[in-house]
Amino acid sequence: MATKVTSAVMRQGLRVLGVAIRTEKAVFSAAVLSSSLYGGMTVASAWALGWATENVVLPAFGQGDITAAALWTGVLLIVGTALLKAVGVAGRRILAGVLQYRMQARSRRDVTKQYLRLPLAWHHQHPTGQLLSNASADAEAAWAPLAPLPMAVGVVVMLFTAAVAMLITDPVLALVGFLIFPAIAVLNLVYQRKLSPLATHAQQLRAEVSEIAHESFDGALVVKTLGREDLETERFRRRAHELRDANIAVGRVRGLFDPMLEALPTLGVLIVLMVGAMRLSGGSINSGELVQVAYLFTLLSFPIRALGWVLAELPRSVVGWQRVQAVLEAKGSMEYGEAGLRGGAPAGLQVSGLSYAYGAAEVLHDVSFEVPAGRTVALVGPTGSGKSTLVQTLVRLVDPVKGEVLLDGVDLREIAYGGIPDMVALVPQQTFLFDDTVRGNITLGLEVSDEEVWAALRLAQADGFVAKLPSGLDTRVGERGTTLSGGQRQRVALARALVRRPRLLILDDATSSVDPQVEARILHGLRDALNVSEAESRPGEEGSTVVVVAYRLATISLADEVVYLDRGSVVDRGTHEELLERCPGYRNLVTAYEREEAERAAIAAEEEEVVA
Amino acid sequence: MSVVFQGAERSALATVRRGLSFTPEFRKGLVGTLVLAIVATIGKIIVPIAVQQTIDTGLKSGTPDLPYITRALVLCAAAVVITALCGYVMNVRLYKATESSLATLRVRGFRHVHDLSVLTQNSERRGALVSRVTNDIDQISNFMQWGGLMIIVACGQVLVATGLMFVYSWQLTLLVWICFIPLLVALPRFQRWLSSAYTTVRERTGDMLAAVSESVVGAAVIRAYGSERRTAERIDTAINANRSAQIRAQKIVGMVFPLTEIVAAVAIAGIVLLGVRLGVSGDISAGRLVAFLFLVTLFVSPLQIATEVLNEAQNAVAGWRRVLGVLDTPPDVADPGDEGVELPRGPISVAFEDVHFAYPDGAPVLHELSVAIPPRTRIAVVGETGSGKTTFAKLLTRLMDPVEGRVTVDGHDLRDVRFSSLRERIVMVPQDGFLFDGALADNIRFGKPSATDEEITTALTELGLADWLEGLPYGLATPVGQRGESLSAGERQLVALARAYLADPDLLLLDEATSAVDPATEVRLARALEGVTRGRTAISIAHRLSTAENADEVFVFDAGRLVQRGPHASLVAEPGVYADLHASWISSAHS
Ligand SMILES: Nc1ncnc2c1ncn2[C@@H]1O[C@H](COP(=O)(O)OP(=O)(O)O)[C@@H](O)[C@H]1O
Ligand SMILES: Nc1ncnc2c1ncn2[C@@H]1O[C@H](COP(=O)(O)OP(=O)(O)O)[C@@H](O)[C@H]1O
Ligand SMILES: [Mg+2]
Ligand SMILES: [Mg+2]
């Protein structure tokens, strides 16, 4: 990773700056113009002071009198240059900000657009924390050098003007400047070279400290229930102390170089005075010119550091930019076809030869089954057998590695962008609610009336508690829905799917946090709603094809067919009765409670016999 | 939002004083550091003095007095080197002192957050708690190392410059101050603008991060419901609002910053005007007048950065207030520590005596709960969602304290039992199987840090999970991902259960801990647990009533009351809440 100001990093860094300059040409030019004005006027103000000294102050002391014209010219020069300089400074600062923040915002928008565009498989491979810092810290770091950049350009102008001004004044004094200013620049470079790896290290540790705190507070309940506070504190302490040491290391370098960078120009002024005094005795310069050069040194000593600031930010900027770029250039975006699927009728689903892998680990092997339109299929299988993964392929959250998923005979990959969500709704196993109102969470921007929202809530058995919320549908649910209980969140998520009257409805263990009575009511409601399709189908009110991941017999009994999945393969499919008969794994799974009960009863009976 | 963390309404000074009382490392050697800082500041007036000496003494006679000038300048150079050295020593001391003390504060804050009760923790966003031990502390450290130092240096600089000016000419000193006073008066106002602008920036940044994080955390839902465009709009709005706020703040800084330059120029022009007049009447020498021009520049940089320094000071005080807000929030469910009782391991008996509970600002959730759980019993707790089961569990594990009444273990009030002892004896497995990012083995080992891989494998085997473990591609080394998200939901719960099992408590409490696990595995687990926890107490809260059928006793909760208790067989026989629950369970779980 780039942590040092090497020439390679410099080159890359300048390329990054080039990108910003090209993108925001107008702002950058205006900023540079302002900054040049500032640079020029800084030198001019020293010159004005020198002029005033030579033409106003010293004559006045020498002759005991001075013309009003000279006096007011001096005043005008001093105030005038200062006003122009102030305009330059204001312009430089404001425009540098505009430049930096615009670029940051642009990167952030691009990065998040990419997050929304990239397939879920890509998300699976990148930790959440990393993606968040790509959009925040990295986008910030990438464009951080833009803040001091205009000033640095202005400083270059300033140095150039100063060099010319000094040369005109006196070549020998100029020579002092030509020695001192490069020395400051070199010292600055050495400073930034020493500092930047240390600063990057500290930055890295700061991120790690924050990550530990985040994870630890996220898991606070686990830490508490197991009484592991000491262990966690120790973990945090180690990293916090590393951070402390890293910051002290940074402090040592800063502490050494900052005073040196202040002392060097001061020594420069002393040398100027010394040399100047000698030149004065030789009559090569006058006192006004001496004052002018000395004053110039005082004025230049601080801004010249801006060159170092840009350099200092470059390594961080390069790293940030590379990370942002990695997201922007990420391949594997989903390609969409042209096919549109119309009509409100339930959709038929066909899965054939489907395999899926997370990285190298294949978790679905050659899965095939179909769900005729209007039918309900239950996906049953042990924990970790791949059910949730399979349903993700059914709504094209991920594309299969091999095989295909057909909806009404059309491969999902052929369907136009936005086509699938229009007809398929998935209620995932892990409920996710947005920090929005209940209504917003259900409609997700879909144009539906409140009546329809309430109808969906009723079907999900959520109308009762939503009606009791302080502002009903307008109640905000908080970050990830924290203000609701697990079972309530699940029911809102269910309503979100139902309100869409999807042609294919997919439920992934969507009632696990709901108690059996409520679950029974949901299932009854669903059954009635679904039966509409068979009995009195009115246009727009046809039922759905349903795929449901379930363990409970009540849910399974809603299904026309069961697909039994184990370790990523379809072991058997058929009606519940058929599977019960011929598939031992399935039987074992769904009758677990009954068998358990039966065994208990048998044991109890035996015990009673023994007693009797 | 936060119902706690009060007591933060202290004055700035009191806040800083209290903050420093937490960081003794900082106060140690502070005086020495300050003295060094002041010496370092004196370095700033060397140039004006050198200029004055050169012009007034060295150049007085018309021809320069080179030996005198050389002597004076060498002396000045020596002073520059000495003050730079002081600067170096001062910096290093300051960094060491601040970083050490803030690291201590960070760790204390972290620990304190964990010591707070669950309810207190939940009253704040997680991100906000993280800020207390990261950004807020960084803000304090920025101030101590830069802003605070700047205040000292800047005040020193202005004072020393004024002193020297006064020696040279009181009239001109007065003039300079008259020029700068309006700026000084306006400073607090500028600072208020800036601080309100920065507050907006911070809020917008928070909104932006929240919006961005939804696009990542909610990726699956966004795709499944095709709401990419809507989400993108929300995010863009947040990003743009953040940008506008940043630019607005920058405008204020950009406008205020150069004002000082203008004032300084006016002051300099005034010095020339008045100085020449004074010079003519012989009240001031030329060198002193020129030195004044240099001295005025010493006023510029302190005033230029003053608004930002003041703003940083305000931020630091606010940061300190927030950190203290956490540290001063008493852990309302506190560990009695060494004064507490240490309970010997072994069979455990628990009792609720007239327990009432209500969440802060909430209606009562548990009423008059009195129940005793003898040692070695297996209890099932059932009831509708919201009936108070989890609340019961949290009281039993002392995640919360009852509002009235008491909970006892082996006859001791829970509040008197040391946490170390309590957490060893009673462990709860919550429904959400939170895992730490790392290997499977490390997560299970969290239950018993000294456990070897063999012990972990044995534990999984005892729980009947050996097959599952074998099926995992990397076995115990399988990475679980952030929050365990690379495992399936059911697998996460298995790991959480194994973790608690390895901790080997006398009372194991499962709160819907296997809700996402398949029935066969669940039954196998229940059986395994029954076998291995024989002689211990096991309490399980579950919607699947199979657990209840196997329990020694069933507790039935309804609307915050324990309405029925007894063995399954007798409860099903009598009409009531349990019989109803059971009926719907039977119809859902049986063919
Ligand atoms: N994001 C992921 N990264 C890597 N492996 C995963 C991920 N999600 C699930 N898996 C693995 O894939 C397998 C199937 O998981 P899943 O489909 O969630 O199972 P189910 O829903 O049937 O319980 C499990 O072994 C699990 O560990
Ligand atoms: N943190 C909380 N703040 C306020 N009220 C809560 C909180 N947690 C739970 N409750 C309320 O307390 C009641 C009981 O909740 P809980 O014990 O979680 O029920 P159960 O576990 O039986 O589903 C519910 O009405 C719930 O809304
Ligand atoms: Mg699953
Ligand atoms: Mg609960």
Side-chain angles (χ1 to χ4, degrees):
Chain A
M1 207 189 287
T3 55
K4 270 213 170 99
V5 189
T6 60
S7 53
V9 170
M10 283 274 281
R11 260 199 313 279
Q12 274 175 307
L14 293 178
R15 233 189 352 255
V16 178
L17 294 182
V19 172
I21 294 169
R22 271 196 304 279
T23 323
E24 292 286 352
K25 279 192 207 79
V27 178
F28 179 75
S29 312
V32 165
L33 228 58
S34 304
S35 189
S36 306
L37 180 65
Y38 148 75
M41 284 306 121
T42 304
V43 178
S45 66
W47 173 79
L49 209 73
W51 189 93
T53 309
E54 186 59 30
N55 296 302
V56 180
V57 178
L58 295 181
F61 281 79
Q63 301 144 19
D65 196 15
I66 183 74
T67 61
L71 197 60
W72 287 107
T73 312
V75 168
L76 211 66
L77 279 176
I78 291 170
V79 177
T81 49
L83 277 175
L84 286 177
K85 185 177 168 188
V87 170
V89 170
R92 181 198 84 207
R93 287 207 144 212
I94 294 172
L95 291 167
V98 172
L99 183 65
Q100 182 194 10
Y101 298 131
R102 277 200 187 171
M103 288 310 290
Q104 274 180 16
R106 183 167 280 124
S107 284
R108 286 184 174 138
R109 286 193 307 259
D110 291 349
V111 165
T112 44
K113 287 240 164 59
Q114 187 74 346
Y115 288 167
L116 291 171
R117 201 176 66 76
L118 284 167
L120 205 61
W122 184 87
H123 279 262
H124 285 319
Q125 289 154 12
H126 294 82
T128 317
Q130 186 192 324
L131 297 188
L132 293 184
S133 84
N134 286 157
S136 54
D138 292 335
E140 194 268 324
W143 306 116
L146 292 179
L149 181 65
M151 167 130 178
V153 176
V155 166
V156 173
V157 172
M158 191 190 297
L159 286 178
F160 188 76
T161 330
V164 173
M166 285 198 288
L167 273 176
I168 293 172
T169 314
D170 181 47
V172 178
L173 280 184
L175 198 64
V176 178
F178 292 162
L179 287 177
I180 293 288
F181 287 114
I184 295 177
V186 168
L187 188 65
N188 221 320
L189 198 67
V190 175
Y191 178 19
Q192 301 307 343
R193 277 199 129 164
K194 288 235 178 302
L195 185 66
S196 106
L198 295 175
T200 315
H201 181 55
Q203 189 62 31
Q204 175 67 30
L205 283 169
R206 188 164 297 130
E208 285 173 26
V209 163
S210 164
E211 254 165 54
I212 292 184
H214 235 295
E215 190 183 39
S216 190
F217 294 167
D218 244 356
L221 190 60
V222 173
V223 173
K224 218 181 252 304
T225 49
L226 287 164
R228 292 281 173 268
E229 289 90 347
D230 288 341
L231 201 74
E232 286 296 285
T233 308
E234 194 43 47
R235 182 159 84 107
F236 182 79
R237 188 202 313 275
R238 266 201 305 277
R239 216 35 67 82
H241 282 185
E242 273 177 48
L243 173 60
R244 172 196 66 192
D245 296 341
N247 280 339
I248 292 179
V250 168
R252 271 182 200 288
V253 173
R254 286 229 170 102
L256 180 64
F257 280 91
D258 279 342
M260 282 215 282
L261 282 172
E262 283 207 6
L264 205 56
T266 311
L267 290 177
V269 176
L270 297 182
I271 296 172
V272 165
L273 289 177
M274 190 66 236
V275 175
M278 290 194 284
R279 299 288 289 165
L280 210 74
S281 66
S284 315
I285 56 166
N286 59 39
S287 330
E289 285 164 339
L290 178 57
V291 170
Q292 181 202 331
V293 175
Y295 196 73
L296 200 54
F297 267 60
T298 355
L299 289 187
L300 284 181
S301 63
F302 188 73
I304 200 171
R305 292 200 202 176
L307 294 175
W309 297 335
V310 175
L311 288 182
E313 295 286 357
L314 280 188
R316 213 162 70 84
S317 151
V318 168
V319 174
W321 194 71
Q322 282 168 344
R323 292 196 187 142
V324 167
Q325 218 49 27
V327 174
L328 295 185
E329 284 164 9
K331 289 281 179 326
S333 70
M334 280 202 162
E335 301 294 327
Y336 295 91
E338 298 290 319
L341 292 173
R342 252 158 286 106
L349 176 75
Q350 193 179 352
V351 177
S352 55
L354 181 146
S355 303
Y356 187 78
Y358 289 104
E362 191 173 280
V363 297
L364 289 176
H365 324 282
D366 195 22
V367 172
S368 301
F369 67 95
E370 69 263 5
V371 190
R375 293 309 179 86
T376 298
V377 161
L379 273 179
V380 182
T383 302
S385 55
K387 304 178 295 297
S388 297
T389 309
L390 179 57
V391 298
Q392 290 193 352
T393 66
L394 301 187
V395 292
R396 206 178 172 215
L397 285 179
V398 293
D399 278 332
V401 177
K402 271 205 299 264
E404 54 188 9
V405 180
L406 305 177
L407 206 58
D408 275 349
V410 183
D411 189 318
L412 291 188
R413 284 167 288 207
E414 304 288 313
I415 297 175
Y417 179 79
I420 301 173
D422 272 352
M423 48 196 268
V424 186
L426 163 72
V427 184
Q429 190 168 22
Q430 295 290 296
T431 314
F432 180 85
L433 297 189
F434 294 91
D435 185 2
D436 198 343
T437 59
V438 173
R439 182 193 290 103
N441 265 296
I442 290 174
T443 63
L444 292 181
L446 191 75
E447 300 274 330
V448 285
S449 66
D450 276 8
E451 287 76 66
E452 288 171 277
V453 171
W454 280 114
L457 283 170
R458 210 155 27 243
L459 210 51
Q461 297 295 318
D463 52 334
F465 80 83
V466 172
K468 283 195 205 117
L469 289 175
S471 333
L473 286 181
D474 291 312
T475 314
R476 295 193 76 90
V477 300
E479 201 184 6
R480 296 197 202 187
T482 38
T483 61
L484 302 179
S485 81
Q488 292 173 334
R489 281 201 290 269
Q490 246 182 0
R491 281 177 271 171
V492 171
L494 189 59
R496 174 191 286 166
L498 295 176
V499 81
R500 296 181 148 63
R501 303 171 181 280
R503 299 172 55 200
L504 171 62
L505 174 65
I506 304 176
L507 305 173
D508 185 0
D509 203 10
T511 51
S512 59
S513 306
V514 174
D515 62 70
Q517 281 172 316
V518 173
E519 188 192 26
R521 286 202 291 273
I522 293 175
L523 291 178
H524 282 135
L526 272 184
R527 184 156 35 206
D528 295 344
L530 297 180
N531 284 344
V532 170
S533 62
E534 283 154 31
E536 28 170 333
S537 75
R538 275 168 287 155
E541 272 216 9
E542 290 99 334
S544 311
T545 308
V546 179
V547 174
V548 55
V549 175
Y551 297 129
R552 294 182 205 173
L553 284 169
T555 324
I556 296 173
S557 68
L558 281 180
D560 303 298
E561 199 191 32
V562 176
V563 174
Y564 181 64
L565 210 60
D566 193 8
R567 297 208 174 181
S569 303
V570 174
V571 177
D572 204 348
R573 27 188 294 232
T575 64
H576 169 65
E577 287 72 25
E578 284 164 9
L579 290 201
L580 213 50
E581 185 110 340
R582 64 172 187 241
C583 179
Y586 179 73
R587 189 184 322 128
N588 185 29
L589 189 82
V590 296
T591 61
Y593 299 133
E594 278 173 281
R595 276 183 300 117
E596 168 79 355
E597 216 172 293
E599 276 173 39
R600 299 256 162 206
I603 293 170
E606 258 170 49
E607 276 170 6
E608 260 170 50
E609 262 168 44
V610 172
V611 173
Chain B
M1 168 111 197
S2 137
V3 286
V4 274
F5 306 133
Q6 309 134 339
E9 286 320 308
R10 286 196 187 86
S11 74
L13 206 63
T15 304
V16 173
R17 198 172 307 131
R18 173 121 179 91
L20 290 178
S21 76
F22 276 102
T23 53
E25 296 94 330
F26 182 68
R27 279 175 305 168
K28 212 164 49 193
L30 187 60
V31 175
T33 308
L34 285 181
V35 169
L36 286 169
I38 290 164
V39 175
T41 311
I42 294 176
K44 309 265 186 185
I45 57 163
I46 292 174
V47 166
I49 292 179
V51 170
Q52 186 266 337
Q53 286 298 314
T54 308
I55 293 178
D56 278 353
T57 318
L59 302 178
K60 201 173 191 173
S61 47
T63 48
D65 178 359
L66 283 182
Y68 175 82
I69 294 178
T70 314
R71 242 181 303 133
L73 292 183
V74 166
L75 216 62
C76 286
V80 169
V81 172
I82 290 171
T83 52
L85 272 176
C86 286
Y88 169 64
V89 177
M90 181 271 301
N91 274 329
V92 171
R93 285 174 67 123
L94 185 69
Y95 269 93
K96 270 196 184 156
T98 50
E99 287 300 331
S100 310
S101 59
L102 293 178
T104 311
L105 199 61
R106 234 189 259 281
V107 176
R108 274 185 83 146
F110 178 88
R111 175 59 201 236
H112 198 82
V113 168
H114 273 303
D115 284 341
L116 294 171
S117 74
V118 193
L119 285 179
T120 316
Q121 287 171 346
N122 289 345
S123 67
E124 278 278 352
R125 281 184 170 211
R126 286 293 184 265
L129 288 177
V130 173
S131 288
R132 296 302 95 90
V133 297
T134 54
N135 299 348
D136 289 339
I137 301 259
D138 292 341
Q139 237 157 23
I140 303 174
S141 105
N142 277 349
F143 176 70
M144 282 181 160
Q145 288 160 6
W146 185 74
L149 186 64
M150 279 300 155
I151 290 184
I152 294 169
V153 169
C155 290
Q157 194 167 316
V158 169
L159 282 181
V160 171
T162 306
L164 191 60
M165 282 177 171
F166 211 79
V167 172
Y168 288 167
S169 157
W170 65 266
Q171 296 97 327
L172 288 184
T173 312
L174 208 64
L175 173 79
V176 170
W177 270 95
I178 287 172
C179 289
F180 278 104
I181 276 176
L183 199 59
L184 281 176
V185 173
L187 269 185
R189 164 157 312 208
F190 295 154
Q191 191 265 333
R192 269 200 303 280
W193 288 347
L194 197 64
S195 124
S196 97
Y198 279 143
T199 308
T200 319
V201 170
R202 262 196 301 280
E203 284 167 9
R204 296 289 168 276
T205 306
D207 294 347
M208 178 196 74
L209 291 179
V212 169
S213 105
E214 280 190 347
S215 76
V216 173
V217 187
V221 171
I222 291 168
R223 272 165 194 68
Y225 287 88
S227 59
E228 287 95 342
R229 191 156 309 141
R230 176 170 180 266
T231 314
E233 272 164 23
R234 278 161 65 116
I235 295 175
D236 282 0
T237 312
I239 290 177
N240 292 343
N242 182 44
R243 182 201 55 198
S244 306
Q246 282 171 320
I247 291 179
R248 199 176 79 85
Q250 188 69 17
K251 279 188 184 151
I252 296 177
V253 177
M255 302 298 267
V256 170
F257 190 83
L259 284 183
T260 321
E261 299 263 5
I262 298 172
V263 174
V266 170
I268 287 175
I271 288 169
V272 172
L273 281 176
L274 182 63
V276 169
R277 213 137 287 157
L278 289 174
V280 172
S281 56
D283 282 342
I284 189 169
S285 70
R288 291 184 164 195
L289 180 55
V290 175
F292 249 91
L293 304 180
F294 282 78
L295 283 168
V296 169
T297 61
L298 289 183
F299 275 63
V300 175
S301 66
L303 286 170
Q304 267 178 344
I305 54 171
T307 35
E308 277 168 273
V309 169
L310 285 180
N311 191 55
E312 209 167 284
Q314 202 190 27
N315 285 347
V317 171
W320 231 324
R321 240 181 221 140
R322 287 192 294 266
V323 174
L324 289 178
V326 168
L327 286 175
D328 287 342
T329 301
D332 44 350
V333 179
D335 184 0
D338 291 341
E339 286 161 26
V341 232
E342 174 91 40
L343 295 174
R345 302 282 316 253
I348 189 169
S349 61
V350 183
F352 278 62
E353 299 172 9
D354 277 323
V355 170
H356 284 255
F357 187 82
Y359 287 96
D361 308 321
V365 170
L366 283 185
H367 316 264
E368 295 168 44
L369 180 61
S370 291
V371 68
I373 302 171
R376 301 192 172 98
T377 32
R378 287 191 309 278
I379 309 281
V381 179
V382 302
E384 284 195 20
T385 315
S387 56
K389 305 181 297 294
T390 299
T391 308
F392 167 77
K394 285 185 186 160
L395 290 170
L396 177 54
T397 46
R398 203 173 172 227
L399 293 175
M400 314 184 295
D401 283 329
V403 172
E404 269 173 55
R406 59 181 206 148
V407 183
T408 63
V409 254
D410 294 345
H412 296 277
D413 191 323
L414 272 190
R415 281 172 282 223
D416 299 332
V417 182
R418 269 186 223 175
F419 271 10
S420 56
S421 177
L422 181 68
R423 303 283 181 234
E424 202 174 56
R425 301 200 65 200
I426 303 183
V427 168
M428 169 168 92
V429 186
Q431 179 175 359
D432 154 47
F434 180 91
L435 303 186
F436 294 92
D437 191 6
L440 183 67
D442 297 335
N443 271 288
I444 300 179
R445 195 174 285 121
F446 201 74
K448 182 183 173 192
S450 64
T452 61
D453 279 2
E454 284 70 49
E455 283 179 75
I456 293 172
T457 315
T458 314
L460 286 172
T461 312
E462 283 171 0
L463 288 173
L465 298 174
D467 278 355
W468 169 68
L469 181 62
E470 253 158 51
L472 290 174
Y474 305 101
L476 283 183
T478 305
V480 303
Q482 284 186 350
R483 306 173 62 94
E485 272 155 19
S486 297
L487 294 182
S488 90
E491 289 172 329
R492 270 201 294 283
Q493 291 191 327
L494 297 182
V495 179
L497 188 66
R499 173 170 64 192
Y501 172 67
L502 191 67
D504 188 27
D506 295 326
L507 187 158
L508 185 61
L509 202 169
L510 310 179
D511 186 2
E512 299 185 37
T514 50
S515 58
V517 174
D518 69 77
T521 309
E522 192 183 30
V523 166
R524 208 161 59 234
L525 265 177
R527 257 209 219 153
L529 277 175
E530 206 174 297
V532 290
T533 58
R534 209 168 278 290
R536 324 242 159 118
T537 303
I539 301 179
S540 28
I541 302 176
H543 289 312
R544 302 182 181 178
L545 294 199
S546 58
T547 2
E549 292 166 7
N550 305 337
D552 296 328
E553 203 176 4
V554 181
F555 291 177
V556 185
F557 279 80
D558 190 38
R561 288 180 198 278
L562 180 63
V563 290
Q564 281 177 298
R565 61 177 291 196
H568 163 74
S570 58
L571 289 185
V572 260
E574 63 192 58
V577 178
Y578 187 75
D580 295 347
L581 277 175
H582 193 256
S584 53
W585 160 247
I586 290 293
S587 73
S588 83
H590 291 236
S591 40

